[in-house]
Amino acid sequence: MFFSFIIPVFNRPDEIKELLESFLGLNVDYKYEIVIVEDGSTETSESIVNDYKKQLDISYYFKQNSGPGDSRNFGMQKAKGDYFIILDSDVILPSNYLTEVDTFLNKNYYDCFGGPDAAHPSFTNLQKAINFAMTSFITTGGIRGGKQQVENFQPRSFNMGLSKKAFLDSGGFGKIHPGEDPDLSLRLLNLGYKTTLIKDAFVYHKRRISWSKFYKQVYKFGMVRPILNQWHPHSKSLVYWFPTLFSLGFLVSILLLVFKIAMPFYAYLFYFIIAFLVSLIVNKNIIVAFQSIVAIIVQFFGYGFGFFKSTFNLVVLRKQPQEAFPNLFF
């Protein structure tokens, strides 16, 4: 297979520099190409890309802003490879990344795969705490963290592979964002393609983010899921209600303390203590462990509120997704 890395970027030249630097550390002896798609940035990465053109096979394209999904489609249309690897600009590749992908696909071929994300030791405490909340088995079941190989996995576009054939048959990513990646995965499954998780093909996902940005991100994730459930009814699951129920239950447990009913609150307290200890063991940092609790609460409340709001608009008010949430569509 000839791999083409597809990387959209928007006003983040410093991130592209770090990512391209990690490409130089890949321990592979076969050719691949990198396609950078500048999505209407005012602060472009062109000069950074030019610095690496002698060392790496890079193509650079500038286009008007049309969103990350359309930019990935644009990049795949321009790419020369027969298998595309899609990355976000805020990731860093470990040296064995492409070896893991190539070895896996040569033994067990899939037209679409996803890989997990991890926190690099150099990341800030906040980045490590958010990574824990997003990947731990105690919050998301460990699927994003690559704890197990999963058939029919719904890859995320920060670390995702797609064959040229699957791209041409599916038409690539849609106009929704976020949510364009699970939407594509579900459409591929409907077309008869299989997807999987390659647990050892992880990337370091830097997530240049604050608490407010993290809340906004997971809030949008929550809003998107009912839309995907409407478009792909077979993908519905009670699991998606968990953050909403968790958040409501936590508020009720605090209210019950007024009436001296403490048992529900103690149950939540026990969960947070377990999460704290797990994070402490994983990150070996007590500050990260405390921040992990905050990250879990922000994640569940943000996603849970977004999911409930979207469900109410789509199911009760019977609004169309584009009408109810135009900011989610390009």
Side-chain angles (χ1 to χ4, degrees):
M1 286 170 285
F2 181 68
F3 293 104
S4 295
F5 285 88
I6 313 298
I7 307 166
V9 60
F10 181 70
N11 288 335
R12 291 182 172 183
D14 291 342
E15 289 182 353
I16 285 296
K17 181 177 176 60
E18 287 183 304
L19 176 52
L20 293 180
E21 194 66 31
S22 71
F23 272 102
L24 297 178
L26 291 180
N27 52 9
V28 295
D29 56 2
Y30 46 87
K31 292 184 177 181
Y32 59 88
E33 70 164 342
I34 303 169
V35 180
I36 307 290
V37 181
E38 195 86 59
D39 187 25
S41 300
T42 55
E43 186 180 359
T44 73
S45 306
E46 186 172 11
S47 63
I48 300 294
V49 172
N50 288 337
D51 290 341
Y52 287 87
K53 279 192 171 180
K54 291 183 179 179
Q55 301 162 284
L56 297 167
D57 181 4
I58 307 178
S59 300
Y60 174 86
Y61 299 95
F62 183 94
K63 53 178 279 298
Q64 295 301 310
N65 180 259
S66 59
D70 187 61
S71 295
R72 298 182 194 112
N73 293 342
F74 180 92
M76 288 186 281
Q77 290 166 354
K78 298 293 185 180
K80 301 187 293 286
D82 53 18
Y83 207 103
F84 310 128
I85 298 179
I86 301 157
L87 302 174
D88 276 357
S89 62
D90 62 348
V91 305
I92 300 172
L93 298 180
S95 61
N96 64 331
Y97 175 83
L98 193 52
T99 303
E100 295 292 347
V101 171
D102 186 65
T103 300
F104 184 96
L105 293 179
N106 276 296
K107 290 182 179 179
N108 310 281
Y109 183 81
Y110 285 81
D111 284 282
C112 181
F113 76 85
D117 51 348
H120 192 272
S122 67
F123 286 5
T124 66
N125 290 339
L126 175 59
Q127 289 168 332
K128 292 177 181 178
I130 290 175
N131 181 78
F132 177 82
M134 296 288 282
T135 63
S136 174
F137 72 91
I138 204 168
T139 55
T140 61
I143 292 178
R144 282 182 60 115
K147 303 302 181 185
Q148 55 183 315
Q149 180 176 327
V150 180
E151 291 288 332
N152 297 335
F153 180 67
Q154 295 179 20
R156 298 299 185 266
S157 51
F158 64 81
N159 180 12
M160 178 179 184
L162 184 67
S163 72
K164 183 175 183 177
K165 183 178 185 300
F167 166 64
L168 294 175
D169 284 352
S170 65
F173 294 94
K175 295 293 186 179
I176 191 171
H177 177 72
E180 71 274 17
D181 28 21
D183 171 58
L184 174 56
S185 303
L186 292 166
R187 286 190 283 112
L188 287 171
L189 293 174
N190 289 339
L191 290 171
Y193 289 98
K194 292 184 178 181
T195 66
T196 193
L197 170 70
I198 304 180
K199 64 183 181 64
D200 294 322
F202 68 90
V203 298
Y204 297 116
H205 198 179
K206 198 150 192 176
R207 291 194 182 95
R208 299 180 188 273
I209 205 165
S210 63
W211 287 121
S212 61
K213 290 180 179 178
F214 180 49
Y215 178 85
K216 184 177 179 180
Q217 181 186 58
V218 293
Y219 170 71
K220 285 185 175 182
F221 288 164
M223 286 199 297
V224 160
R225 180 51 63 176
I227 297 174
L228 297 178
N229 290 344
Q230 186 181 86
W231 290 352
H232 310 281
H234 63 281
S235 69
K236 290 181 180 179
S237 173
L238 290 175
V239 172
Y240 299 131
W241 278 98
F242 177 77
T244 302
L245 297 177
F246 179 96
S247 302
L248 289 174
F250 185 52
L251 293 176
V252 170
S253 73
I254 295 174
L255 180 62
L256 290 176
L257 289 176
V258 178
F259 301 97
K260 297 183 179 181
I261 302 175
M263 190 59 66
F265 181 79
Y266 289 153
Y268 277 92
L269 185 62
F270 178 74
Y271 170 79
F272 289 132
I273 291 173
I274 295 297
F276 173 86
L277 294 174
V278 173
S279 179
L280 185 62
I281 293 170
V282 170
N283 294 292
K284 299 178 176 59
N285 185 316
I286 193 168
I287 296 176
V288 174
F290 277 115
Q291 288 185 325
S292 295
I293 304 304
V294 179
I296 290 172
I297 293 173
V298 171
Q299 180 183 15
F300 283 166
F301 271 80
Y303 188 102
F305 178 59
F307 184 88
F308 179 80
K309 179 179 178 181
S310 181
T311 300
F312 184 82
N313 275 271
L314 299 181
V315 177
V316 179
L317 301 182
R318 297 188 177 278
K319 291 184 178 180
Q320 292 300 310
Q322 291 88 339
E323 174 194 0
F325 308 108
N327 60 315
L328 297 179
F329 295 87
F330 279 90

